Amino acid sequence: MTKTELISSISDKANCTKKDASAALEATLAAIQEALENGEKVSITGFGTFEVRERGEKKCINPRTKAEMICPPSKAPAFKAGRTLKEAVNK
């Protein structure tokens, strides 16, 4: 499902215009992104949890030169599905 298809689906289910559905989706995604940027966890009951996970420094190999190098620590967004979502997918 693409973003456009998601907006159409929201529009149909919420009985609103595509413009309103698009604005709602954009606001939701912006709020989640802002919370993650601030290091917060976003929990949506029955759906799942978005969080930022820390990755430590590690040794890597450059595939082009085969030289070993150190990859610096980084942060990565992560999603953990909630029980209700898992059950719905596994029906």
Side-chain angles (χ1 to χ4, degrees):
M1 177 179 276
T2 65
K3 188 174 181 180
T4 304
E5 292 169 341
L6 181 58
I7 290 170
S8 293
S9 179
I10 292 169
S11 173
D12 293 341
K13 292 179 192 239
N15 197 22
C16 64
T17 66
K18 287 186 181 181
K19 185 176 181 181
D20 291 340
S22 177
L25 179 62
E26 290 295 333
T28 302
L29 296 177
I32 292 171
Q33 181 176 337
E34 184 178 323
L36 292 176
E37 286 173 357
N38 294 330
E40 300 173 34
K41 236 184 207 184
V42 179
S43 295
I44 302 172
T45 304
F47 185 73
T49 303
F50 295 92
E51 63 184 349
V52 176
R53 293 188 183 151
E54 303 263 341
R55 292 185 182 169
E57 187 177 88
K58 63 181 181 178
K59 288 184 181 179
C60 305
I61 296 177
N62 183 332
R64 181 175 288 164
T65 64
K66 307 293 186 214
E68 278 193 14
M69 51 193 250
I70 303 289
C71 293
S74 63
K75 296 178 182 179
F79 175 74
K80 182 178 178 186
R83 183 177 55 192
T84 307
L85 178 59
K86 287 179 187 176
E87 289 171 358
V89 169
N90 287 316
K91 279 189 177 180

